[in-house]
């Protein structure tokens, strides 16, 4: 009788272990933008590819639009292990203590996507990601959002048009200096709060890739948009290092493959999504879109490129010079 009970107990234990072993590994992937943005779509692509390549051993749960954590909360949540994966904007790593990432915030440092890719796919980009590891974070790749443009409720054709305006920015000392160089008043604010702040006049304007402007309906409360494309907004896909290192080797390799596919997808659709959003903004009739003349664009460059030198002490002169070498940017030639 006792032997029989023991066998039953052992069998039950074996079955429960087998059931446990079949439970998928859950990755909570939190982000702060809408699901139909380039980042939102890329996150869903990663979830799909992760399920396919691991044959269901991994389940990625995507939480869009700040439904889980807001801008200021998500990084701490990742470090504590409350979520496993994020794709924060590159500006978020300065406040974390890795100030070299703020090189991506420097105005006009990337002339186009080709110049950008030389950095994100090259040694500078890889070196920056390794600097996150002492913070308990592993960097997996870079996802584009797009190039930012200024919006406000008054026309913007010269740098002077932004003087005295309260302009929303992410938490970045580089972006603060950028706005001050224009005579603007930088206002650090969580992304999820921007629409209401624009609607109520708490801030006068902002800078965004057009897909963010449109999907968050900011164009409904901004009468003017000028396509300055003065700065880049991108993301680093990051994961809790302890969680990542604890995964089985084969699962980690499969997730690396899924991330590579999602990254290609993200960077292919970013420009397409921004172009589509721009068409939608124009068709809405709520916002007047201005394309700067070459002379107007040069005036913005001359006003903003001195920010590079002012930020050398924070970002690091070596990092800035390394980007110049990769992209061929020559600030003295303006």
């Amino acid at each position: 009788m006792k032997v029989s009970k023991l066998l039953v107990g052992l069998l039950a234990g074996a079955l429960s272990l087998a059931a446990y072993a079949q439970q998928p590994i859950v990755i909570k992937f939190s982000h702060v933008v809408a699901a139909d943005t380039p980042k939102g779509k890329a996150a869903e692509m990663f979830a799909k590819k992760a399920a396919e390549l691991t044959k269901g051993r991994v389940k990625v749960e995507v939480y869009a639009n700040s439904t889980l954590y807001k801008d200021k909360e998500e990084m701490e949540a990742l470090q504590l292990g409350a979520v496993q994966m994020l794709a924060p904007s590159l500006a978020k790593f300065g406040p974390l203590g890795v100030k070299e990432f703020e090189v991506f915030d420097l105005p006009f440092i990337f002339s186009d996507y080709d110049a950008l890719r030389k950095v994100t796919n090259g040694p500078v980009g890889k070196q920056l990601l390794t600097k996150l590891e002492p913070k308990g974070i592993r960097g997996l790749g870079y996802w584009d959002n797009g190039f930012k443009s200024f919006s406000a409720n008054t026309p913007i054709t010269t740098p002077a048009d932004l003087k005295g305006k309260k302009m929303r920015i992410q938490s970045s000392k580089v972006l603060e200096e950028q706005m001050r160089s224009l005579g603007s008043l930088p206002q650090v604010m969580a992304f999820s709060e921007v629409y209401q702040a624009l609607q109520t006049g708490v801030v006068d304007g902002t800078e965004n890739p057009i897909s963010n402007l449109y999907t968050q309906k900011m164009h409904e409360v901004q009468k003017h948009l000028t396509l300055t494309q003065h700065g880049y907004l991108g993301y680093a896909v990051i994961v809790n290092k302890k969680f990542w290192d604890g995964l089985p080797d084969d699962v980690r390799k499969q997730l690396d493959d899924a991330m590579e596919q999602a990254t290609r997808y993200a960077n292919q659709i970013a420009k397409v999504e921004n172009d589509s959003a721009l068409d939608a903004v124009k068709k809405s009739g709520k916002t007047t879109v201005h394309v700067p003349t070459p002379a107007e664009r040069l005036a913005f460059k001359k006003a903003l490129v001195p920010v590079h030198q002012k930020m050398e002490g924070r970002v690091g002169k070596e990092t800035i010079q390394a980007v110049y070498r990769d992209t061929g940017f020559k600030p003295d030639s303006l």
Side-chain angles (χ1 to χ4, degrees):
M1 187 72 175
K2 288 182 180 178
V3 174
S4 170
K5 283 184 177 179
L6 178 62
L7 288 171
V8 169
L10 287 171
L11 181 60
L15 288 171
S16 66
L17 282 172
Y20 177 76
Q22 291 170 5
Q23 291 294 314
I25 298 165
V26 174
I27 296 177
K28 291 183 179 179
F29 189 157
S30 173
H31 67 81
V32 302
V33 299
D36 55 348
T37 57
K39 177 163 68 172
K41 291 183 177 182
E44 294 293 347
M45 173 64 76
F46 173 71
K48 178 184 175 185
K49 291 297 178 184
E52 288 176 3
L53 293 173
T54 65
K55 294 180 169 56
R57 290 174 69 190
V58 172
K59 180 183 179 184
V60 179
E61 298 176 351
V62 179
Y63 297 87
N65 233 359
S66 303
T67 52
L68 210 53
Y69 295 101
K70 292 184 179 181
D71 274 341
K72 295 178 182 178
E73 305 163 343
E74 62 176 13
M75 197 74 77
E76 184 180 5
L78 181 85
Q79 290 176 297
L80 292 173
V83 293
Q84 290 71 47
M85 190 172 285
L86 304 173
S89 62
L90 297 166
K92 297 294 189 303
F93 299 112
L96 190 66
V98 191
K99 298 171 185 174
E100 294 90 338
F101 271 94
E102 289 185 351
V103 73
F104 288 102
D105 290 339
L106 290 170
F108 292 109
I109 197 165
F110 302 111
S111 57
D112 52 31
Y113 285 107
D114 289 339
L116 168 72
R117 207 67 67 225
K118 290 175 183 176
V119 175
T120 55
N121 289 349
V124 174
K126 290 175 184 174
Q127 184 183 24
L128 287 174
L129 291 178
T130 63
K131 291 180 181 291
L132 297 172
E133 302 209 356
K135 307 290 183 183
I137 295 168
R138 174 80 183 272
L140 301 179
Y142 294 95
W143 288 359
D144 290 343
N145 186 324
F147 287 95
K148 298 180 291 185
S149 291
F150 289 122
S151 66
N153 281 325
T154 51
I156 307 165
T157 55
T158 71
D161 292 330
L162 292 174
K163 187 174 183 179
K165 301 287 185 189
K166 293 175 290 183
M167 299 293 287
R168 181 268 171 177
I169 59 166
Q170 299 184 75
S171 180
S172 164
K173 296 299 181 185
V174 171
L175 297 180
E176 285 183 26
E177 185 59 41
Q178 167 191 283
M179 292 305 184
R180 289 196 183 99
S181 294
L182 296 170
S184 303
L185 305 172
Q187 309 288 311
V188 175
M189 183 178 292
F191 186 69
S192 58
E193 298 169 6
V194 179
Y195 176 88
Q196 187 175 6
L198 291 169
Q199 186 181 41
T200 57
V202 171
V203 294
D204 299 311
T206 187
E207 56 168 17
N208 274 296
I210 312 306
S211 62
N212 276 6
L213 183 91
Y214 179 68
T215 57
Q216 294 293 320
K217 303 185 187 301
M218 295 180 202
H219 67 292
E220 294 181 356
V221 288
Q222 293 280 266
K223 294 177 182 176
H224 294 273
L225 169 67
T226 295
L227 302 179
T228 46
Q229 296 189 309
H230 59 276
Y232 170 71
L233 178 61
Y235 311 106
V237 187
I238 57 175
V239 67
N240 178 286
K241 187 176 184 298
K242 184 178 179 181
F243 168 81
W244 190 256
D245 291 346
L247 292 172
D249 289 346
D250 60 330
V251 170
R252 198 183 309 113
K253 184 181 183 305
Q254 290 158 351
L255 291 177
D256 275 331
D257 290 346
M259 181 55 62
E260 187 177 330
Q261 291 185 48
T263 298
R264 280 201 304 271
Y265 172 74
N267 295 340
Q268 285 167 359
I269 66 169
K271 186 176 186 306
V272 173
E273 291 289 319
N274 279 295
D275 289 347
S276 174
L278 179 59
D279 286 341
V281 169
K282 289 176 179 176
K283 287 175 183 175
S284 75
K286 296 176 184 292
T287 305
T288 300
V289 178
H290 176 68
V291 179
T293 65
E296 288 171 345
R297 185 171 169 78
L298 181 60
F300 275 102
K301 275 190 176 181
K302 286 183 175 180
L304 290 173
V305 167
V307 172
H308 296 202
Q309 190 171 4
K310 290 178 183 177
M311 288 288 104
E312 282 180 353
R314 179 176 176 84
V315 176
K317 186 174 181 178
E318 288 184 9
T319 300
I320 295 173
Q321 292 295 328
V323 171
Y324 286 172
R325 285 193 296 272
D326 282 351
T327 62
F329 184 78
K330 295 178 181 178
D332 296 335
S333 65
L334 294 177

